[in-house]
Amino acid sequence: MAQHNLDNIDKNEYPHINRGLDGIVAFSTTKSFIDGQKGELIYSGYNIDVLADKATFEEVCFLLWNDRLPKKTELEDLKNKLIAQRELPKPVLNYITSTNKEAEPMSVLRTAVSMLADFETEKTGDKSKDDRNHAIAMTAQIPTIIAAFDRARKGKEIVSPLKEGSTAFNFLYMLNGKEPGEAAEQTMDLCLILHAEHGMNASTFTSRTICATESDMFSAVTGAIGALKGPLHGGANTAVMNTLLELEKDGEKADAVAFTKKKLENKEKMMGFGHRVYKTFDPRAVHLRKMSKKLSEETGHVKLYEWSEDMLKTMKEEKDIDPNVDFFSATVYYSIGIQPDLFTCIFTMSRVSGWSAHYIEQSENNRLVRPRALYIGEKNLEWTPVEER
Ligand code: SDX
């Protein structure tokens, strides 16, 4: 469709349209800070590099929900609450096992999360407490949904969640039916930390907008999952992996440089590259790149890593565009045995912490989100009866 011509618009009435809300500051937040020029990312005061080095995903959840690190007893308490809530309500499990096995995992996840609301009816009378409980419930149950659907669609028996262990450990256990090694658990945990929160991205904006109508957190997270699913947002990691696997089919003839140049010549987007805020290397991609190199060597997927590097170099030379979080996370997940169409679900497993943190923050200082649209259609047309059109 042709782009709208805005030349004849009364600029005094609506001086600007920021397409894609580019540069618009819509909320204040203590959850994260991004310096897109420097490539700096901070979660509630802590640099992502420090968190990647020292934190666990559960500590990051507490940090985002409370704006401070947990004391030892608070961390234990949170871990126990997460463990206690891992089981799914029976009707949700029934849905997962009976739905179309060919369905997109993100669609199943979206529906199942929406269903969870029906079983979280106990209210304490304190919204802030209830919201935190809901955040814990979804963070605990989303991994169970993902693993259960993956096993159900493959005709495998569902593995019940463990009554111990980290979110990362338990997820890999439920997915594969066997306990993961330390390295796989650490990789998974680091991925969860790196994806937890990222300012006013499209899905978080969705979560806050839904919250601002005073709707519930399950609705906000359901909407956010819908937003994350798209290939311009979280869906890019699956697209990156599919691209690399396509290249693999060319065998000896595979040429990632030529592939990238051709894509650019055809004015197509290279998935996993570019970002609205970062004009340099995404700091999360720095960690994921290192992990990708190490894991691909360990698991015999060196070619996938080398092609990724070729793409990266070509994108830099041709367009001066750097990779985003979705680029190297693809090969990292693939190397630990996760299949590509689950990648965006893994992103969700982590980002639910950020979405719920923003929901809590928005609830505490709320105003309805209600921007304007510039009407560029005609006005007061003559009505024509249906027979005469
Ligand atoms: C995530 O915002 C967040 O925080 C998101 C995220 C998070 O943590 O939540 O970081 C996660 O969603 C990462 C993004 C995943 N998406 C992709 O990898 C899809 C491919 N990338 C793009 O389509 C794009 O870069 C976006 C969507 C990420 C950003 O889009 P913008 O800011 O609207 O930029 P644009 O499309 O207007 O592009 C500006 C220019 C254009 O060139 P010109 O017309 O000016 O010559 O850059 C070019 C674009 O063509 N460009 C690309 C490109 N990305 C930008 N060209 C080729 N390949 C790309 N990937």
Side-chain angles (χ1 to χ4, degrees), residues 185-199:
E185 181 191 4
Q186 277 172 4
T187 301
M188 191 71 215
D189 196 56
L190 183 46
C191 287
L192 295 179
I193 292 169
L194 295 174
H195 287 81
E197 161 57 15
H198 211 238

Side-chain angles (χ1 to χ4, degrees), residues 22 34 195 197-203 228 231-234 236 240 264 268-279 282 284 315 319 321 324-326 347 351:
D22 194 346
I34 302 168
H195 287 81
E197 161 57 15
H198 211 238
M200 214 31 57
N201 58 83
S203 54
L228 187 72
L232 291 191
H233 192 7
V240 169
L264 295 178
E268 287 176 59
K269 292 275 162 65
M270 279 294 288
M271 291 294 148
F273 286 91
H275 201 275
R276 179 66 64 79
V277 185
Y278 292 120
K279 298 306 161 209
D282 182 328
R284 302 165 296 177
M315 282 299 282
K319 293 281 279 182
I321 294 180
N324 57 52
V325 71
D326 286 326
F347 194 154
R351 186 57 62 84

Side-chain angles (χ1 to χ4, degrees), residues 253-289:
K253 284 192 277 153
D255 182 344
V257 174
F259 174 89
T260 309
K261 286 186 177 167
K262 185 130 193 56
K263 276 255 180 199
L264 295 178
E265 257 170 51
N266 293 343
K267 303 260 173 270
E268 287 176 59
K269 292 275 162 65
M270 279 294 288
M271 291 294 148
F273 286 91
H275 201 275
R276 179 66 64 79
V277 185
Y278 292 120
K279 298 306 161 209
T280 183
F281 222 96
D282 182 328
R284 302 165 296 177
V286 174
H287 292 274
L288 290 160
R289 185 189 197 178

Side-chain angles (χ1 to χ4, degrees), residues 26 53 55 133 300 383:
D53 194 29
N133 287 341
W383 178 256

Side-chain angles (χ1 to χ4, degrees), residues 104-220:
E104 289 180 81
M106 277 296 274
S107 300
V108 176
L109 180 57
R110 187 194 55 223
T111 302
V113 167
S114 182
M115 284 180 79
L116 292 179
D118 301 358
F119 304 92
E120 288 288 333
T121 48
E122 228 173 86
K123 297 259 169 27
T124 63
D126 176 344
K127 176 158 168 58
S128 166
K129 235 187 226 166
D130 289 339
D131 286 344
R132 280 174 170 74
N133 287 341
H134 292 162
I136 292 171
M138 279 186 272
T139 308
Q141 290 172 328
I142 284 174
T144 318
I145 296 169
I146 301 166
F149 178 63
D150 190 52
R151 291 188 71 87
R153 70 178 172 164
K154 289 173 176 159
K156 294 182 180 169
E157 210 172 306
I158 307 298
V159 176
S160 297
L162 292 167
K163 301 264 185 283
E164 61 188 2
S166 67
T167 304
F169 185 93
N170 174 58
F171 172 68
L172 292 173
Y173 168 76
M174 291 189 296
L175 188 71
N176 299 321
K178 60 177 198 288
E179 294 190 357
E182 204 180 320
E185 181 191 4
Q186 277 172 4
T187 301
M188 191 71 215
D189 196 56
L190 183 46
C191 287
L192 295 179
I193 292 169
L194 295 174
H195 287 81
E197 161 57 15
H198 211 238
M200 214 31 57
N201 58 83
S203 54
T204 304
F205 181 74
T206 304
S207 167
R208 281 190 88 126
T209 301
I210 292 174
C211 173
T213 68
E214 296 189 358
S215 186
D216 64 289
M217 193 189 277
F218 291 91
S219 300

